[in-house]
Amino acid sequence: MAATSVVGLQWGDEAKGKIVDLLTAEHDVVVRYQGGNNAGHTVRFAGETYKLSLLPAGILSEDVTCVIATGVVVDPAALLQELQDVQSRRGTIEPRRLRISDRAHVIFPYHIAEEDVLERRHSRDGIGTTRRGIGTCYRDKAGRTHAFRLGDLLRPDSFRRRLREVVAFKNTVLRALDPQFEPFDAEAIFEDYRRYAEQLEPFITDTTAFLHECVRNGRRLLFEGAQGSLLDVDHGTYPYVTSSNSSGCGIHSGSGVSERIIDRMIGVVKAYTTRVGGGPFPTELDDEIGQTIRDRGHEYGTVTGRPRRCGWFDAVAARYGAEVSGVDELAIMLLDVLSTLEEVRICEAYELDGRRTTTFPSHVEDLERVRPVYRTLPGWKEEITAVRDFADLPAAAQRYVHEVEDILGYPVRIVSVGPDREQTIFR
Ligand code: IMP
């Protein structure tokens, strides 16, 4: 039995989608287990470009089943829009090809409104969320009293009754926080969400039971992480994180399948570091080099279009992400973006209060204060986008990869030198 997981080790946007896409053909089932439509990736398939957010990239391959598992939060309107877009170009998606957990929690318009108020009130040091209602939905999930799962939407009587109570409560809170706030109409939301539920019903099922059956039958599973390990709500740079377990830790809780069945855990890193939204970023480059990386790497958010903050590869942070996620190997993405730089740097340690450390600080205020200690290496001038063999990379680029392996302590098995499938070096 073979199961694989692909998880980001930094602050998201590590180009995991490309690795998932490369591996999809070797698997039967692709599983999304956390996050929601805060994630986004652009996939090239059969000459066309698709922007996917909730749907795993496997949805484009006819013989793969995609699962949106229990730990995901679903905005039904966004999901239906995505489904419609894919179906209009690739034909009808049969329910056997997409299974959505009846335990997955549902995002409502008041979640987005609440998040807007919270982010505006804390605008100076806001988290800088994607404003998709992700955090406020997970908050209700943990709080239990005001949450709905997809399965609840299929029981109209109790759904309507509870929705009235919840909307009344949300209106009271939102009005208190924002005098301009226009109250939500529970009946209108009910009608909309009943319509969404009817359209999604053929896909909604007990995905945990389905995945257990897949495991028993030896079907090959591919777990697709969204965001990155440093955005994990428990282990990331709290509070500048997303609200789910976006490290490898989320696989078990989010899917109901033990990570012990996974025999290949791939940790994905960029050859440099990026971050969107607020929070400390020790190796950030606010200069021309940062701008060069942003331009060459097209570092603008897929979901929000925000320019991403760019910096040198932070090996302290990435190693921490790798250890939290429990990876076996690394994939280094976007190595080609660093071509043309005079020299390249890797942060191998931090200096905190005059002391050198390789431990990733648990408190953001300490992370804000660290000074990166760099290993400075020669850059390479040549473009490397056409290279397919590791031995054909310029010596300086090979050395860069070896140094990353050395500091992180994991083998680099995949090096990506461009967005296309072919632009990949396997070792
Ligand atoms: P939220 O997930 O919308 O609540 O946003 C929380 C933090 O996670 C913000 O800093 C976002 O920019 C970041 N974030 C959420 N999703 C992604 C992603 O897919 N890539 C990178 N950052 C993300």
Side-chain angles (χ1 to χ4, degrees):
M1 227 246 338
T4 310
S5 85
V6 176
V7 62
L9 304 187
Q10 298 160 311
W11 280 288
D13 306 315
E14 297 92 349
K16 297 174 289 292
K18 171 170 165 175
I19 301 296
V20 171
D21 184 41
L22 281 170
L23 296 173
T24 294
E26 298 166 21
H27 294 84
D28 305 304
V29 183
V30 183
V31 188
R32 250 305 285 279
Y33 51 87
Q34 45 73 226
N37 59 326
N38 48 350
H41 44 254
T42 307
V43 189
R44 295 276 305 158
F45 191 89
E48 287 197 53
T49 303
Y50 295 83
K51 286 198 183 301
L52 300 176
S53 202
L54 269 163
L55 293 172
I59 201 74
L60 304 172
S61 314
E62 298 282 308
D63 35 15
V64 168
T65 299
C66 288
V67 172
I68 295 178
T70 298
V72 176
V73 286
V74 175
D75 181 330
L79 176 57
L80 283 164
Q81 182 62 52
E82 223 178 298
L83 259 176
Q84 196 187 346
D85 179 45
V86 173
Q87 297 198 101
S88 69
R89 295 200 275 162
R90 299 207 44 81
T92 307
I93 293 168
E94 301 294 335
R96 67 172 175 80
R97 288 206 43 229
L98 175 65
R99 309 205 178 218
I100 308 170
S101 174
D102 58 355
R103 295 182 177 93
H105 279 257
V106 183
I107 297 176
F108 285 85
Y110 49 76
H111 287 127
I112 297 165
E114 275 182 297
E115 185 168 336
D116 254 9
V117 173
L118 292 171
E119 281 284 296
R120 269 192 281 124
R121 285 202 148 200
H122 294 90
S123 57
R124 253 193 60 217
D125 53 357
I127 294 166
T129 70
T130 59
R131 309 254 178 143
R132 297 290 192 274
I134 306 294
T136 37
C137 182
Y138 276 117
R139 174 188 290 189
D140 278 345
K141 169 179 170 172
R144 296 153 299 164
T145 43
H146 294 87
F148 294 94
R149 293 169 147 196
L150 277 173
D152 296 327
L153 272 51
L154 305 178
R155 292 163 172 78
D157 293 340
S158 52
F159 173 44
R160 182 186 234 148
R161 196 172 57 247
R162 282 197 51 232
L163 187 68
R164 280 195 196 125
E165 289 169 21
V166 171
V167 170
F169 175 83
K170 298 286 180 185
N171 281 341
T172 308
V173 173
L174 284 163
R175 172 56 64 86
L177 291 171
D178 177 6
Q180 314 293 326
F181 166 74
E182 286 290 326
F184 286 108
D185 175 356
E187 204 53 31
I189 297 180
F190 173 77
E191 292 300 336
D192 286 346
Y193 276 64
R194 269 303 297 156
R195 219 176 42 248
Y196 301 150
E198 270 163 27
Q199 293 175 67
L200 289 174
E201 189 164 5
F203 305 102
I204 298 175
T205 186
D206 179 346
T207 56
T208 310
F210 172 72
L211 289 172
H212 291 168
E213 192 187 310
C214 290
V215 172
R216 277 196 300 276
N217 295 336
R219 296 185 78 198
R220 298 161 302 172
L221 308 186
L222 175 59
F223 293 91
E224 172 184 337
Q227 291 88 43
S229 300
L230 305 178
L231 288 171
D232 187 289
V233 65
D234 287 301
H235 304 288
T237 48
Y238 193 87
Y240 300 98
V241 292
T242 192
S243 300
S244 62
N245 285 120
S246 53
S247 68
C249 300
I251 298 173
H252 197 158
S253 58
S255 70
V257 177
S258 167
E259 74 281 352
R260 289 168 62 194
I261 65 151
I262 298 173
D263 47 18
R264 188 177 179 199
M265 282 261 213
I266 305 174
V268 186
V269 290
K270 267 179 186 161
Y272 45 94
T273 311
T274 62
R275 160 155 228 185
V276 234
F281 181 175
T283 61
E284 184 165 13
L285 290 165
D286 270 326
D287 60 8
E288 217 173 284
I289 299 179
Q291 190 56 44
T292 304
I293 292 175
R294 187 173 302 111
D295 291 342
R296 285 183 57 88
H298 309 292
E299 294 295 354
Y300 296 88
T302 322
V303 174
T304 58
R306 290 179 287 179
R308 295 182 184 138
R309 300 158 66 192
C310 298
W312 294 121
F313 186 76
D314 184 340
V316 179
R319 196 183 69 180
Y320 171 72
E323 286 175 345
V324 163
S325 288
V327 305
D328 305 304
E329 61 182 271
L330 303 175
I332 296 192
M333 314 304 287
L334 295 127
L335 186 65
D336 54 299
V337 171
L338 297 183
S339 302
T340 77
L341 295 178
E342 210 58 53
E343 55 180 35
V344 283
R345 292 180 169 194
I346 298 175
C347 169
E348 59 174 356
Y350 296 149
E351 214 179 85
L352 182 60
D353 298 328
R355 288 225 318 272
R356 186 187 163 103
T357 179
T358 52
T359 302
F360 191 67
S362 53
H363 202 287
V364 276
E365 286 182 16
D366 290 335
L367 189 62
E368 256 154 25
R369 289 187 307 118
V370 301
R371 278 199 4 191
V373 179
Y374 287 115
R375 233 179 241 197
T376 302
L377 305 165
W380 56 94
K381 288 281 167 201
E382 307 90 317
E383 288 294 351
I384 57 172
T385 49
V387 175
R388 300 293 175 266
D389 273 316
F390 190 73
D392 295 335
L393 283 174
Q398 291 189 32
R399 176 161 171 212
Y400 187 80
V401 173
H402 287 140
E403 300 279 344
V404 169
E405 284 184 318
D406 176 48
I407 306 177
L408 264 67
Y410 299 94
V412 171
R413 298 263 185 251
I414 301 172
V415 180
S416 176
V417 291
D420 291 340
R421 282 182 181 195
E422 301 72 42
Q423 292 174 303
T424 314
I425 298 169
F426 295 96
R427 297 170 76 210

